Amino acid sequence: MPSDQQRLPRLRDEFYRGLAAVHWTFGIEDRATGWLSETFHSRFREILTHACARYDCACPVYCLMPDHMHVLLIGTQNDTDARLATIFLRKHLTPSLVPARFQKQAYDHVLREEERKRDAFARTCHYILENPVRAGLCPSSAEYRFSGAMIAGYPDLRVHEENFWELFWRILDGTRRAP
């Protein structure tokens, strides 16, 4: 376990709670490859569904790269905790990575208020989805088979469909309960 001096600094817990939006990057130790497959992708979606349902969050976009993963989580309730959702996700995915394993600590970026406005938010999601294009893995992000979105209860949600953002915001607004 790394010492506190070797750990990435984290914001206070409250930054990860409530309606926060957090872009997580899960590195694979030694940038190991060979674990990414259709089977892993299916398991990832299954565990992500459980994490979203259990911790009241939605994932407007994820992108599984050959040596790391991007997951954007957004809280749907005032008591959502994106860090707990991430701990759950990593714990339950770890056996599916063997012999590879996660780096000790994920990198996170808590989106600031201006980054959470709908157009800016969509640009952040687009940037995440374009990772395989920038890496030369496919000519367009829509062709990459290891990316998507997840809101528990909406298995047919497709991030590359034309009406995705309209549908995403309508669903997300409907999942948020009044305080």
Side-chain angles (χ1 to χ4, degrees):
M1 183 96 166
S3 72
D4 287 340
Q5 293 171 330
Q6 295 172 314
R7 296 185 70 80
L8 293 170
R10 290 270 184 247
L11 297 172
R12 293 185 314 275
D13 289 347
E14 59 264 23
F15 283 92
Y16 302 92
R17 292 187 184 138
L19 306 181
V22 186
H23 173 195
W24 297 92
T25 303
F26 306 148
I28 305 301
E29 195 167 289
D30 298 325
R31 299 188 68 99
T33 60
W35 52 270
L36 185 56
S37 65
E38 292 295 340
T39 301
F40 181 86
H41 187 209
S42 293
R43 180 68 175 156
F44 173 85
R45 287 186 57 81
E46 175 187 4
I47 299 302
L48 181 60
T49 303
H50 287 289
C52 287
R54 185 174 186 159
Y55 294 100
D56 291 320
C57 55
C59 177
V61 66
Y62 67 82
C63 185
L64 309 179
M65 297 293 286
D67 61 356
H68 67 284
M69 304 174 202
H70 294 275
V71 179
L72 180 60
L73 295 178
I74 186 167
T76 63
Q77 306 303 322
N78 290 327
D79 60 352
T80 295
D81 191 322
R83 281 188 29 183
L84 291 179
T86 299
I87 290 168
F88 178 92
L89 184 63
R90 286 171 54 104
K91 173 186 175 184
H92 291 282
L93 284 175
T94 293
S96 299
L97 283 173
V98 173
R101 59 182 179 241
F102 287 114
Q103 289 178 344
K104 296 284 185 203
Q105 189 177 358
Y107 171 80
D108 67 75
H109 172 69
V110 177
L111 276 62
R112 296 179 303 274
E113 187 174 341
E114 61 271 10
E115 293 174 297
R116 294 176 44 125
K117 293 181 180 169
R118 290 189 181 191
D119 287 344
F121 190 80
R123 282 192 300 274
T124 297
C125 293
H126 178 75
Y127 180 82
I128 292 168
L129 289 170
E130 288 295 310
N131 267 275
V133 176
R134 287 190 300 275
L137 299 175
C138 58
S140 77
S141 61
E143 295 177 49
Y144 193 65
R145 57 184 203 220
F146 301 117
S147 62
M150 177 60 63
I151 298 179
Y154 296 88
D156 296 326
L157 193 60
R158 301 286 180 254
V159 72
H160 296 290
E161 288 184 1
E162 186 176 328
N163 67 340
F164 172 78
W165 286 112
E166 176 186 334
L167 182 58
F168 172 79
W169 291 114
R170 191 174 26 166
I171 293 168
L172 190 66
D173 290 344
T175 65
R176 291 183 168 160
R177 296 185 297 262

